[in-house]
Amino acid sequence: MVTRGSSVASRATGGSPEDAARTARNRGYEVPVDGRSPAAPTTPRRQGWRGRLHTTLDLIRANPTGRIALRIFIGILGAVVVTVGIALIPLPGPGWLLVIAGLGVWAVEFHWARRLLAFTRRHVNAWTRWVTSRSLPVRFVLGLVGLLFVSVVVWLSLKYSLGIDVVARVLHYLATH
């Protein structure tokens, strides 16, 4: 026996109710499954600010215009954060941290950014595990190399950005006192 709803769906799509549901999903409409509301969560939702953020982003993405506007906003915001981070890499400050944070912003909407962020996390975690598995003298030497690198970057940044040659001033001070 064919019900009215299934015959309307069959006539509209030229097929079964499953075809109608598939067509509706492809057009961006939410379709109830097994008598449940499509908005009913199948997995437990996160609590707190993350849950509210995910719900808000899902509501924005439900509208095609909102989806495009969100992608544009996330793209611009991520580009600004990454650009500031790249500018701060040679200067003292959290340059690499901002670049990774900008990548995290992009990862909200872009799959390539999620993959790149996962790649970065894997390699940072591998580096951290490698360093912590070394002996104390090796970690001390690695720390000194890192400190020397940061010192050279700060010195070059001050010398070529602000025209302050710290090494020349220190040598002049030592020679005169």
Side-chain angles (χ1 to χ4, degrees):
M1 176 176 183
V2 177
T3 63
R4 185 174 188 265
S6 63
S7 65
V8 170
S10 298
R11 280 186 300 214
T13 61
S16 67
E18 291 81 17
D19 292 336
R22 188 179 315 108
T23 302
R25 267 189 241 102
N26 290 341
R27 291 182 180 167
Y29 297 101
E30 294 183 3
V31 179
V33 179
D34 299 333
R36 290 182 312 193
S37 166
T42 56
T43 59
R45 295 294 282 176
R46 295 180 190 170
Q47 299 296 322
W49 66 271
R50 284 186 173 206
R52 287 191 301 275
L53 178 65
H54 282 281
T55 301
T56 303
L57 290 176
D58 289 342
L59 288 172
I60 292 171
R61 289 182 187 121
N63 181 343
T65 304
R67 189 178 314 123
I68 292 170
L70 181 65
R71 287 180 73 87
I72 290 171
F73 175 74
I74 294 294
I76 291 172
L77 181 64
V80 168
V81 174
V82 167
T83 303
V84 169
I86 289 173
L88 289 178
I89 287 173
L91 302 174
W96 284 111
L97 185 64
L98 283 177
V99 170
I100 292 172
L103 197 57
V105 170
W106 275 336
V108 169
E109 277 300 308
F110 302 108
H111 183 66
W112 62 267
R114 275 191 293 278
R115 287 193 332 257
L116 187 57
L117 188 60
F119 173 83
T120 304
R121 282 182 182 161
R122 275 194 315 271
H123 283 79
V124 167
N125 287 336
W127 168 255
T128 304
R129 278 192 309 274
W130 182 83
V131 169
T132 55
S133 69
R134 301 296 142 205
S135 65
L136 190 59
V138 171
R139 284 189 276 171
F140 184 73
V141 169
L142 288 171
L144 283 178
V145 168
L147 184 63
L148 179 67
F149 175 75
V150 169
S151 300
V152 169
V153 168
V154 169
W155 171 64
L156 290 174
S157 298
L158 289 173
K159 182 175 181 177
Y160 292 110
S161 301
L162 303 174
I164 302 171
D165 191 359
V166 178
V167 173
R169 286 189 180 196
V170 167
L171 291 176
H172 176 70
Y173 177 80
L174 291 174
T176 57
H177 287 85

